[in-house]
Amino acid sequence: MSESTTSPTPPPTPPPTSPRSDGLAPLRQSLFTVLWVATIIGNVGSFVRDVTSSWLITDLSSSPAAVAMVQAAATLPIFLLAIPAGVLSDTLDRRKLLIGIQLFLAGISLCLVLLSLADMHSVASLITLTFLGGIGVALMGPTWQAIVPELVEKKDLKDAIALNSLGINIARAIGPALGGLILAGLGAAFTYGVDLITYVFVIAALLWWKRPRAQPDTLDERFPGAFRAGLRYARASHELHVVLLRAFLFFVLTSSVWALLPLVARQLLEGGPGFYGVLLGAIGLGAIGGAIVMPRLRAHLSADGLLLTAALATAMVMAFLSIAPPKWAAVAVLLILGASWITALTTLNGVAQAILPNWVRGRSLAVYLTVFNGAMTAGSLTWGAIAQGIGVPSTLLASAVGLAAIGFLAHRIKLPKGESDLVPSNHWPEPLTATPVEQDRGPVLIQIEYRIAQEDRSEFLKALARLSAERRRDGAYAWGITEDSADPELMLEWFQVESWAEHLRQHRRVSKYDADIQEDVLRFHHGKQRPVVRHFLAFNHPHEGRA
């Protein structure tokens, strides 16, 4: 839209400035606060369990590859199952799903307690139970993230995401140190028992949450169709692709410090389980500090600037650890690692949440988690194998150099702003039908006829390219544009969806941002009426018309 130059106009009145957020607004809402506190308690238990398993594996084997396998076993299930888990979070009752997952994870912790009491731990048993715990985390991750918009108002969403990250790192500050102290003083069985008890608090909070019961809907998605719809959205969303690429590059390189930290504590710094817990606690404390200053940082740095700063700071920490510094210096520098880690996590997660509509939020966040944990898994295995050959110090230094270099290169690929209005527009009228249509009938071909002047064709096709991505995001598996050979001004857009029900869902999915894209296309249409829209159903009555 261009400004008018025919007459002077007074300068626009600047909008009133809103007070800077203190980042704590979500905590003034009791529902968010109760679940937030419960997740902190639950995560404290998880870190107590993880530090115990990570240290026990170093007692059973000194191989860097074996130690890295524990990290890989924790993240591989998330890589494999996050997308199906995201489908479940979008199609099942999220509260009931979370309660079931907590019960499953409690059963795994009970197994760890019993094995510790019987002194029957082995490398295989620890890796297997860690893998099973990873399955629970895979199922839980997309669901926990998807419920955040249900707990707070939209204006508080970024603060709620930051507080979730803060909560995880409060737990990271307490859990590892607590786990290391309990493990050194009371043994593995008692330590795993502490984790088992924390599930009681989480389940109680979820039972307290009276989530509104969803009204029955004939258009509710089933798992196979919802799975395909989620993949179609992820494949067609360029903004999501950018987030995924930036996340993969960051996490695959930073995974080295997480995979090798037990060996850094034991071999380079010559510490025990208590000291390893202190190192992890320092990361958590640093993350808490980072979360506290994040609102101020966001006021001065863009998302790209925050991610580059996190990459350079993390690279510096890894390079410093490679020289085997004094213990006090290692603890101090891990505070920086914690602040950098939460900066990157909060930035990437916040951008991902901001660009996703609610109908596909769980599935798309699952794709994000798949990339995140795939990068962590692949990185852990790769860096563990490299450390087996060249040693832990050289591996940390190599990953630090790679992270700094990739950080500068990836900075050129700008993250999306996430400012689009993704609330459903509901501006599509219901399609006309001569008789009721069975919802599973399909595929469905939709055609839209436009009249486009020759001089507008180029700009029309550019606008239509944006619209094609929107069609695919919302459910189309094929799309095209054709012209009439006898009348070049008549152009036909067509797209296909897999069923009549999926097309009706498509009506509901179109956001206000998408509606603006469609209006941008329609401004080129010069017919007397709006473009003609037709719906064609696949002919699936094989006996009709037979003699």
Side-chain angles (χ1 to χ4, degrees):
M1 183 173 67
S2 60
E3 293 183 8
S4 172
T5 57
T6 57
S7 61
T9 56
T13 302
T17 57
S18 58
R20 178 183 295 174
S21 169
D22 60 5
L24 301 178
L27 294 179
R28 300 185 184 103
Q29 303 172 49
S30 59
L31 177 58
F32 178 86
T33 302
V34 169
L35 290 173
W36 185 72
V37 171
T39 57
I40 292 176
I41 295 172
N43 284 320
V44 166
S46 297
F47 283 117
V48 165
R49 179 195 65 215
D50 292 345
V51 75
T52 306
S53 296
S54 296
W55 193 258
L56 286 180
I57 201 74
T58 64
D59 282 337
L60 297 169
S61 174
S62 60
S63 166
V67 174
M69 276 292 292
V70 174
Q71 173 72 27
T75 55
L76 180 60
I78 309 176
F79 171 70
L80 296 175
L81 299 175
I83 295 177
V87 176
L88 292 175
S89 76
D90 282 336
T91 55
L92 300 180
D93 184 293
R94 289 168 178 166
R95 171 179 166 273
K96 293 179 180 178
L97 179 60
L98 287 171
I99 292 173
I101 294 168
Q102 294 298 309
L103 292 171
F104 172 72
L105 290 171
I108 293 171
S109 295
L110 179 60
C111 291
L112 288 167
V113 171
L114 297 176
L115 285 173
S116 299
L117 290 172
D119 196 20
M120 294 176 62
H121 278 301
S122 65
V123 172
S125 69
L126 281 175
I127 290 176
T128 299
L129 289 171
T130 300
F131 182 83
L132 292 174
I135 292 176
V137 173
L139 295 173
M140 182 171 59
T143 312
W144 270 120
Q145 294 193 45
I147 68 171
V148 175
E150 298 184 41
L151 309 179
V152 298
E153 298 177 15
K154 183 178 180 179
K155 64 183 179 63
D156 297 327
L157 181 58
K158 286 188 177 180
D159 288 335
I161 293 169
L163 283 169
N164 272 349
S165 295
L166 173 62
I168 291 173
N169 287 284
I170 290 174
R172 192 191 301 278
I174 299 171
L178 180 64
L181 292 173
I182 297 175
L183 178 62
L186 299 172
F190 195 92
T191 311
Y192 285 129
V194 170
D195 174 45
L196 183 60
I197 292 172
T198 62
Y199 290 105
V200 175
F201 294 93
V202 181
I203 293 171
L206 289 168
L207 291 172
W208 173 82
W209 175 25
K210 303 304 180 184
R211 185 173 188 253
R213 186 183 299 273
Q215 296 299 318
D217 191 338
T218 57
L219 292 180
D220 282 343
E221 295 180 272
R222 297 178 181 176
F223 185 92
F227 185 87
R228 292 191 297 270
L231 291 182
R232 279 196 297 269
Y233 182 92
R235 187 167 60 245
S237 175
H238 173 72
E239 289 187 328
L240 183 59
H241 298 167
V242 173
V243 177
L244 297 180
L245 175 62
R246 296 291 300 274
F248 178 83
L249 293 174
F250 181 85
F251 293 123
V252 77
L253 289 160
T254 54
S255 61
S256 65
V257 69
W258 295 99
L260 300 175
L261 193 58
L263 294 178
V264 171
R266 187 163 197 148
Q267 296 179 4
L268 295 187
L269 304 179
E270 298 179 348
F275 178 67
Y276 176 54
V278 169
L279 290 180
L280 291 177
I283 295 174
L285 285 173
I288 293 172
I292 291 173
V293 302
M294 273 293 289
R296 295 182 180 179
L297 291 176
R298 285 201 300 264
H300 295 91
L301 291 174
S302 66
D304 297 289
L306 289 170
L307 198 55
L308 177 60
T309 301
L312 296 178
T314 302
M316 181 273 293
V317 171
M318 292 192 293
F320 186 73
L321 290 176
S322 71
I323 65 174
K327 290 182 179 179
W328 65 266
V331 172
V333 80
L334 286 182
L335 294 170
I336 300 174
L337 177 62
S340 303
W341 186 252
I342 196 173
T343 298
L345 281 179
T346 302
T347 299
L348 289 166
N349 190 281
V351 173
Q353 289 269 20
I355 64 174
L356 296 175
N358 191 56
W359 71 268
V360 76
R361 186 181 303 276
R363 282 163 280 186
S364 295
L365 287 174
V367 173
Y368 168 77
L369 290 175
T370 298
V371 171
F372 166 66
N373 288 281
M376 293 293 288
T377 301
S380 296
L381 294 174
T382 300
W383 296 118
I386 293 173
Q388 189 83 21
I390 66 175
V392 172
S394 298
T395 302
L396 288 173
L397 186 59
S399 59
V401 172
L403 179 60
I406 292 297
F408 279 111
L409 291 174
H411 185 65
R412 301 167 67 93
I413 308 171
K414 299 303 181 183
L415 289 166
K417 300 295 185 182
E419 298 174 348
S420 303
D421 189 349
L422 301 179
V423 174
S425 65
N426 296 316
H427 75 288
W428 280 10
E430 287 296 310
L432 297 176
T433 59
T435 59
V437 179
E438 296 176 2
Q439 290 196 355
D440 60 353
R441 186 173 174 183
V444 182
L445 173 67
I446 298 93
Q447 295 181 347
I448 305 100
E449 294 180 2
Y450 303 95
R451 283 220 159 262
I452 308 298
Q454 289 294 317
E455 62 270 19
D456 292 334
R457 283 172 65 95
S458 178
E459 292 301 316
F460 169 73
L461 292 174
K462 289 179 182 178
L464 205 61
R466 296 175 61 211
L467 183 59
S468 71
E470 183 269 319
R471 304 286 198 209
R472 294 178 187 275
R473 286 195 304 269
D474 287 348
Y477 65 82
W479 178 93
I481 180 71
T482 60
E483 63 179 349
D484 189 331
S485 61
D487 183 1
E489 288 195 349
L490 180 58
M491 304 194 74
L492 182 72
E493 178 198 4
W494 61 268
F495 58 94
Q496 287 180 285
V497 294
E498 62 182 30
S499 69
W500 185 249
E502 185 67 4
H503 181 55
L504 295 180
R505 295 187 194 106
Q506 196 176 29
H507 278 237
R508 298 182 179 182
R509 293 168 181 168
V510 177
S511 69
K512 293 182 178 179
Y513 172 71
D514 298 330
D516 291 339
I517 296 175
Q518 293 175 17
E519 286 300 320
D520 189 44
V521 170
L522 290 175
R523 68 188 175 90
F524 295 102
H525 173 70
H526 64 75
K528 295 181 178 179
Q529 298 178 341
R530 291 178 71 87
V532 176
V533 180
R534 293 186 174 90
H535 301 80
F536 294 89
L537 297 163
F539 189 76
N540 53 9
H541 299 286
H543 300 294
E544 188 174 339
R546 289 187 179 181

